[in-house]
Amino acid sequence: PLVFVFHGGTGNGRSAQVMSGFNEVADQNGFIVVYPNGTGRLSDEIILTWNGGECCGYAQQANVDDVGFVRAIVAELQSQTNIDPKRIYATGMSNGGILSHRLACEASDIIAAIAPVAGTLNFAECDPSEPVAVIEFHGTSDSHLPYEGGVGAESLVGVDFASVSDSIKFWTSINRCTST
């Protein structure tokens, strides 16, 4: 199995590695974990973002093809090691969670499941070709990307985010699940 862990906006792959602790879990459970870096205006590894569609920062403004980037990583890894194509997963914090949703929308042919953390579905053109399992983690006191949606009191980007409820309702419907 392969797990992508996407950093939040202004983070980087190293910060995602430290925050998530996935290396130890991957070693114990026999999977590959990847912590890619997003894109930024500067040449160093600070203030990096992902293009989640309607958010965030430089990657969204420059229309960076992060879905293509993930596909390229998968292809490269498949050429180097034995990746189970039915067990490729994505998670991420905030902007990284938003990218996870976008991958489920645009790359459902390779992404089996997503586990966004503090990131909702903010991609209006979501039409996955296959069902994608989703588990959403989100605190009700989030002041950057509010649980109920809208612009957070401490928002860094001023985006009117979708609510957790709306995101889950979308995936429940598109995956043809019952509400329970």
PDB file of all heavy atoms in Angstrom, residues 2 23-24 35 51 53 56 63 65 77 81 95 120:
ATOM      1  N   LEU A   2       0.274   2.339  -0.493  1.00  0.00           N
ATOM      2  CA  LEU A   2       0.944   3.641  -0.564  1.00  0.00           C
ATOM      3  C   LEU A   2       0.041   4.681   0.077  1.00  0.00           C
ATOM      4  O   LEU A   2      -1.152   4.750  -0.244  1.00  0.00           O
ATOM      5  CB  LEU A   2       1.212   4.009  -2.026  1.00  0.00           C
ATOM      6  CG  LEU A   2       1.699   5.419  -2.331  1.00  0.00           C
ATOM      7  CD1 LEU A   2       3.057   5.693  -1.686  1.00  0.00           C
ATOM      8  CD2 LEU A   2       1.778   5.613  -3.846  1.00  0.00           C
ATOM      9  N   ASN A  23       5.774   7.541   9.721  1.00  0.00           N
ATOM     10  CA  ASN A  23       6.896   6.641   9.437  1.00  0.00           C
ATOM     11  C   ASN A  23       6.848   5.396  10.310  1.00  0.00           C
ATOM     12  O   ASN A  23       7.001   4.274   9.816  1.00  0.00           O
ATOM     13  CB  ASN A  23       8.234   7.354   9.626  1.00  0.00           C
ATOM     14  CG  ASN A  23       8.604   8.218   8.445  1.00  0.00           C
ATOM     15  OD1 ASN A  23       7.862   8.312   7.468  1.00  0.00           O
ATOM     16  ND2 ASN A  23       9.747   8.867   8.538  1.00  0.00           N
ATOM     17  N   GLU A  24       6.638   5.583  11.614  1.00  0.00           N
ATOM     18  CA  GLU A  24       6.588   4.449  12.532  1.00  0.00           C
ATOM     19  C   GLU A  24       5.411   3.528  12.200  1.00  0.00           C
ATOM     20  O   GLU A  24       5.554   2.302  12.195  1.00  0.00           O
ATOM     21  CB  GLU A  24       6.478   4.948  13.973  1.00  0.00           C
ATOM     22  CG  GLU A  24       6.524   3.821  14.998  1.00  0.00           C
ATOM     23  CD  GLU A  24       6.487   4.340  16.420  1.00  0.00           C
ATOM     24  OE1 GLU A  24       6.946   5.457  16.689  1.00  0.00           O
ATOM     25  OE2 GLU A  24       5.963   3.582  17.271  1.00  0.00           O
ATOM     26  N   TYR A  35       5.657  12.033   1.644  1.00  0.00           N
ATOM     27  CA  TYR A  35       5.359  13.378   2.134  1.00  0.00           C
ATOM     28  C   TYR A  35       5.836  14.398   1.100  1.00  0.00           C
ATOM     29  O   TYR A  35       6.899  14.990   1.247  1.00  0.00           O
ATOM     30  CB  TYR A  35       6.097  13.651   3.447  1.00  0.00           C
ATOM     31  CG  TYR A  35       5.914  12.617   4.526  1.00  0.00           C
ATOM     32  CD1 TYR A  35       6.816  11.560   4.674  1.00  0.00           C
ATOM     33  CD2 TYR A  35       4.859  12.704   5.428  1.00  0.00           C
ATOM     34  CE1 TYR A  35       6.672  10.623   5.687  1.00  0.00           C
ATOM     35  CE2 TYR A  35       4.704  11.774   6.437  1.00  0.00           C
ATOM     36  CZ  TYR A  35       5.614  10.732   6.561  1.00  0.00           C
ATOM     37  OH  TYR A  35       5.472   9.806   7.558  1.00  0.00           O
ATOM     38  N   ASN A  51      -3.006  23.062  -4.684  1.00  0.00           N
ATOM     39  CA  ASN A  51      -4.133  23.564  -5.446  1.00  0.00           C
ATOM     40  C   ASN A  51      -5.337  22.662  -5.184  1.00  0.00           C
ATOM     41  O   ASN A  51      -5.501  21.624  -5.811  1.00  0.00           O
ATOM     42  CB  ASN A  51      -3.819  23.616  -6.942  1.00  0.00           C
ATOM     43  CG  ASN A  51      -4.950  24.183  -7.767  1.00  0.00           C
ATOM     44  OD1 ASN A  51      -6.015  24.497  -7.242  1.00  0.00           O
ATOM     45  ND2 ASN A  51      -4.728  24.309  -9.054  1.00  0.00           N
ATOM     46  N   GLY A  53      -8.393  23.522  -5.716  1.00  0.00           N
ATOM     47  CA  GLY A  53      -9.503  23.939  -6.566  1.00  0.00           C
ATOM     48  C   GLY A  53      -9.896  25.371  -6.293  1.00  0.00           C
ATOM     49  O   GLY A  53      -9.581  26.259  -7.065  1.00  0.00           O
ATOM     50  N   CYS A  56      -5.721  26.882  -2.382  1.00  0.00           N
ATOM     51  CA  CYS A  56      -5.223  27.903  -1.485  1.00  0.00           C
ATOM     52  C   CYS A  56      -3.911  28.491  -2.010  1.00  0.00           C
ATOM     53  O   CYS A  56      -3.107  27.768  -2.585  1.00  0.00           O
ATOM     54  CB  CYS A  56      -4.962  27.334  -0.105  1.00  0.00           C
ATOM     55  SG  CYS A  56      -6.451  26.931   0.845  1.00  0.00           S
ATOM     56  N   ASN A  63      -2.597  27.914 -10.664  1.00  0.00           N
ATOM     57  CA  ASN A  63      -3.235  26.743 -11.258  1.00  0.00           C
ATOM     58  C   ASN A  63      -2.258  25.565 -11.412  1.00  0.00           C
ATOM     59  O   ASN A  63      -2.172  24.920 -12.452  1.00  0.00           O
ATOM     60  CB  ASN A  63      -3.890  27.077 -12.607  1.00  0.00           C
ATOM     61  CG  ASN A  63      -4.914  26.037 -13.005  1.00  0.00           C
ATOM     62  OD1 ASN A  63      -5.498  25.373 -12.156  1.00  0.00           O
ATOM     63  ND2 ASN A  63      -5.110  25.881 -14.298  1.00  0.00           N
ATOM     64  N   ASP A  65      -0.794  21.988 -11.284  1.00  0.00           N
ATOM     65  CA  ASP A  65      -1.434  20.692 -11.512  1.00  0.00           C
ATOM     66  C   ASP A  65      -0.977  19.689 -10.457  1.00  0.00           C
ATOM     67  O   ASP A  65      -0.164  18.803 -10.725  1.00  0.00           O
ATOM     68  CB  ASP A  65      -1.119  20.189 -12.923  1.00  0.00           C
ATOM     69  CG  ASP A  65      -1.835  18.884 -13.260  1.00  0.00           C
ATOM     70  OD1 ASP A  65      -2.683  18.433 -12.459  1.00  0.00           O
ATOM     71  OD2 ASP A  65      -1.520  18.318 -14.326  1.00  0.00           O
ATOM     72  N   LEU A  77       6.932   5.729  -8.500  1.00  0.00           N
ATOM     73  CA  LEU A  77       7.061   4.705  -7.461  1.00  0.00           C
ATOM     74  C   LEU A  77       6.722   3.317  -7.995  1.00  0.00           C
ATOM     75  O   LEU A  77       7.369   2.330  -7.620  1.00  0.00           O
ATOM     76  CB  LEU A  77       6.188   5.049  -6.257  1.00  0.00           C
ATOM     77  CG  LEU A  77       6.673   6.225  -5.412  1.00  0.00           C
ATOM     78  CD1 LEU A  77       5.634   6.608  -4.370  1.00  0.00           C
ATOM     79  CD2 LEU A  77       8.010   5.895  -4.756  1.00  0.00           C
ATOM     80  N   THR A  81       9.113   0.113  -7.293  1.00  0.00           N
ATOM     81  CA  THR A  81       8.768  -0.838  -6.242  1.00  0.00           C
ATOM     82  C   THR A  81       7.375  -1.414  -6.503  1.00  0.00           C
ATOM     83  O   THR A  81       6.670  -0.964  -7.390  1.00  0.00           O
ATOM     84  CB  THR A  81       8.846  -0.161  -4.848  1.00  0.00           C
ATOM     85  OG1 THR A  81       8.734  -1.161  -3.840  1.00  0.00           O
ATOM     86  CG2 THR A  81       7.789   0.902  -4.672  1.00  0.00           C
ATOM     87  N   ASN A  95      -5.113  22.504   4.116  1.00  0.00           N
ATOM     88  CA  ASN A  95      -4.945  22.587   2.665  1.00  0.00           C
ATOM     89  C   ASN A  95      -4.593  21.223   2.080  1.00  0.00           C
ATOM     90  O   ASN A  95      -5.031  20.869   0.979  1.00  0.00           O
ATOM     91  CB  ASN A  95      -3.878  23.635   2.343  1.00  0.00           C
ATOM     92  CG  ASN A  95      -3.618  23.866   0.879  1.00  0.00           C
ATOM     93  OD1 ASN A  95      -2.466  24.077   0.500  1.00  0.00           O
ATOM     94  ND2 ASN A  95      -4.637  23.858   0.048  1.00  0.00           N
ATOM     95  N   THR A 120     -12.179  20.425   3.962  1.00  0.00           N
ATOM     96  CA  THR A 120     -13.451  20.017   3.380  1.00  0.00           C
ATOM     97  C   THR A 120     -13.379  20.006   1.859  1.00  0.00           C
ATOM     98  O   THR A 120     -12.387  20.420   1.265  1.00  0.00           O
ATOM     99  CB  THR A 120     -14.586  20.947   3.854  1.00  0.00           C
ATOM    100  OG1 THR A 120     -14.250  22.305   3.546  1.00  0.00           O
ATOM    101  CG2 THR A 120     -14.835  20.794   5.346  1.00  0.00           C
TER     102      THR A 120
END
